[in-house]
């Protein structure tokens, strides 16, 4: 990839990330959304995050994980369990990573 | 329809000369609180930043491009998904379309940001947009569940935003320069996924949101093979549709279905 193309990619990605983050609050005017859609949009942030997270946990090289000996499954389960027990995101991360590293280095998964 | 009044956040330019200068933003208690709330997430942001830096450095895209992308784009998932495409010499539109699908979650969040932020001047909103990350959003709505502007919100936003920005760039640059010396296969990058998982758990409020999450997660996995990361678009559409159906089934006839 030439320098110019690289520059275009960086400018394009920067502009697109900026616009997508602010799309609905950068404009002065209300961007009309159909009223019937509004109750559905309440779940959209959750759905968007879930859509990003689920494949990271459940897929391996684009295929559904077929063994229970995948440390990511247990790490995610441990992290979620911590969250609903203690309600802390730092604990979710620490607990999940502890399980992940323990299984990877302790059991060699 | 008139915009809501902009909360008075102490305009720095019009202060009377007799008063002592207002304390700087970083002394503002809301700013400090924003940074403090974000602190719990900083280890994950750092791990995610290092992984992004290493991935870019090892992709063969070149140091200059990796640095430019890291310093300007400021979007981890967009950078991660664009990196292999750039390294493989994919056409510009493919790179941008793929990143757009990954960034769709920000578009969705910008709808939720609007009632809080639309009263601020345009220049402020552009700056806010650059820093409006998903982690910032979840912390913000936890502190301000009512979607109305309130004093202190801007300071709280910037507290979290600056903490994220600083840690992200230090980590990402460290990743770029350390490159091969970081043991990527240890799985540190999973800390970023766990942070997002924590966010997901935070947003789980009721049965309807559980249904939406199940639908989105399944759809995203099933549609994984689609090009350009369209599985994320499919997943959001499916979850919104499912939640509309769920609401319609639950709402008694004639009550309008509004909570």
């Amino acid at each position: 990839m030439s320098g110019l193309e690289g520059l275009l990619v960086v400018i394009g990605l920067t502009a697109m990330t900026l616009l997508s983050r602010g799309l609905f609050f950068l404009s002065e005017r209300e961007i009309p959304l159909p009223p019937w859609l509004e109750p559905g949009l309440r779940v959209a942030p959750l759905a968007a995050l879930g859509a990003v997270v689920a494949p990271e946990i459940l897929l391996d090289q684009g295929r559904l994980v077929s063994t229970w000996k995948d440390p990511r499954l247990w790490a995610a389960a441990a992290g979620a369990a911590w969250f609903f027990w203690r309600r802390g995101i730092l604990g979710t991360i620490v607990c999940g990573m502890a399980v992940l590293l323990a299984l990877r280095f302790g059991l060699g998964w | 329809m008139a915009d809501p009044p902009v909360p008075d956040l102490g305009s720095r330019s019009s202060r009377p000369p007799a008063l002592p200068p207002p304390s700087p933003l970083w002394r503002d208690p809301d700013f400090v609180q924003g940074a403090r709330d974000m602190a719990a997430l900083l280890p994950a942001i750092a791990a995610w930043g290092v992984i992004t830096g290493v991935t870019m450095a090892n992709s063969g895209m070149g140091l200059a491009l990796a640095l430019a992308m890291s310093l300007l784009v400021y979007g981890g998932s967009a950078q991660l998904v664009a990196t292999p495409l750039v390294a493989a010499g994919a056409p510009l539109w493919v790179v941008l379309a793929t990143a757009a699908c990954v960034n769709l979650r920000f578009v969705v969040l910008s709808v939720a940001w609007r009632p809080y932020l639309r009263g601020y001047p345009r220049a402020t909103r552009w700056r806010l947009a650059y820093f409006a990350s998903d982690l910032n959003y979840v912390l913000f709505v936890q502190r301000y569940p009512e979607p109305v502007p309130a004093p202190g919100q801007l300071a709280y936003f910037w507290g979290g935003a600056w903490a994220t920005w600083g840690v992200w760039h230090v980590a990402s640059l460290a990743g770029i320069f350390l490159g091969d010396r970081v043991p990527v296969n240890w799985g540190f990058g999973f800390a970023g996924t766990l942070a997002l998982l924590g966010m997901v758990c935070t947003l789980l409020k009721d049965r309807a949101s559980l249904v939406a999450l199940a639908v989105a997660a399944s759809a995203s996995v099933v549609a994984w093979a689609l090009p350009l990361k369209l599985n994320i678009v499919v997943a959001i559409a499916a979850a919104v549709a499912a939640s509309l159906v769920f609401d319609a089934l639950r709402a008694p006839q004639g009550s309008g279905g509004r909570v």
Side-chain angles (χ1 to χ4, degrees):
Chain A
M1 180 165 284
S2 74
L4 181 66
E5 277 177 307
L7 189 67
L8 284 178
V9 166
V10 169
I11 292 173
L13 281 178
T14 305
M16 218 229 343
T17 303
L18 180 62
L19 279 178
S20 53
R21 283 189 177 158
L23 192 63
F24 279 89
F25 65 80
L26 283 173
S27 70
E28 297 287 339
R29 302 233 245 121
E30 192 100 26
I31 299 178
L33 291 168
W36 56 264
L37 189 60
E38 268 169 40
L41 282 180
R42 273 184 302 126
V43 300
L46 172 67
L49 290 176
V52 173
V53 170
E56 298 286 334
I57 297 169
L58 299 174
L59 294 184
D60 185 17
Q61 318 280 347
R63 311 185 63 166
L64 205 59
V65 171
S66 53
T67 168
W68 52 270
K69 282 189 168 184
D70 189 313
R72 291 172 307 156
L73 299 178
W74 299 98
W82 177 280
F83 183 90
F84 289 110
W85 182 39
R86 284 293 160 94
R87 298 272 149 192
I89 290 174
L90 180 60
T92 304
I93 297 164
V94 171
C95 179
M97 285 311 287
V99 168
L100 185 88
L101 294 175
L103 291 177
R104 187 153 283 170
F105 293 108
L107 297 180
W109 286 4
Chain B
M1 195 176 95
D3 274 332
V6 180
D8 182 13
L9 299 156
S11 162
R12 305 282 185 276
S13 57
S14 60
R15 62 174 188 263
L19 292 175
S23 62
L25 183 60
W26 56 270
R27 303 279 297 267
D28 188 309
D30 290 302
F31 182 92
V32 174
Q33 190 60 47
R36 195 171 286 165
D37 289 349
M38 189 57 85
L41 297 169
L42 292 181
I45 293 169
W48 192 235
V50 169
I51 296 298
T52 306
V54 172
T55 306
M56 289 192 299
N58 291 351
S59 73
M61 68 165 65
L63 181 64
L65 190 51
L67 283 175
M69 209 192 246
S70 179
L71 290 172
L72 290 173
V73 178
Y74 192 48
S77 43
Q79 284 167 234
L80 276 179
V81 76
T83 295
L85 298 173
V86 171
L92 182 62
W93 74 267
V94 172
V95 178
L96 292 184
T98 308
C101 289
V102 171
N103 275 353
L104 191 62
R105 73 178 190 283
F106 293 131
V107 175
V108 167
L109 296 182
S110 81
V111 179
W113 279 118
R114 181 175 169 85
Y116 295 100
L117 303 181
R118 65 177 171 185
Y120 294 106
R122 185 184 290 265
T124 307
R125 280 181 284 132
W126 278 100
R127 268 182 289 141
L128 290 167
Y130 189 70
F131 293 95
S133 73
D134 40 9
L135 302 183
N136 214 349
Y137 166 78
V138 176
L139 294 181
F140 192 93
V141 293
Q142 271 203 296
R143 186 168 166 91
Y144 303 103
E146 282 297 308
V148 287
Q153 281 182 350
L154 210 52
Y156 184 81
F157 181 102
W158 286 124
W162 282 116
T164 307
W165 186 87
V167 168
W168 171 263
H169 281 307
V170 169
S172 176
L173 291 178
I176 289 176
F177 287 111
L178 291 174
D180 284 335
R181 272 165 287 175
V182 177
V184 178
N185 56 355
W186 283 14
F188 286 123
F190 201 66
T193 303
L194 287 167
L196 288 176
L197 180 69
M199 301 279 112
V200 165
C201 294
T202 308
L203 293 175
L204 272 181
K205 298 278 184 227
D206 48 20
R207 198 117 55 88
S209 60
L210 199 60
V211 169
L213 174 63
V215 171
S218 319
S220 176
V221 166
V222 169
W224 176 256
L226 289 178
L228 308 174
K229 293 279 174 193
L230 281 168
N231 63 314
I232 295 176
V233 182
V234 169
I236 296 174
V240 168
S243 102
L244 288 173
V245 170
F246 187 79
D247 275 4
L249 289 179
R250 244 184 358 170
Q253 293 296 317
S255 76
R258 287 299 174 102
V259 184

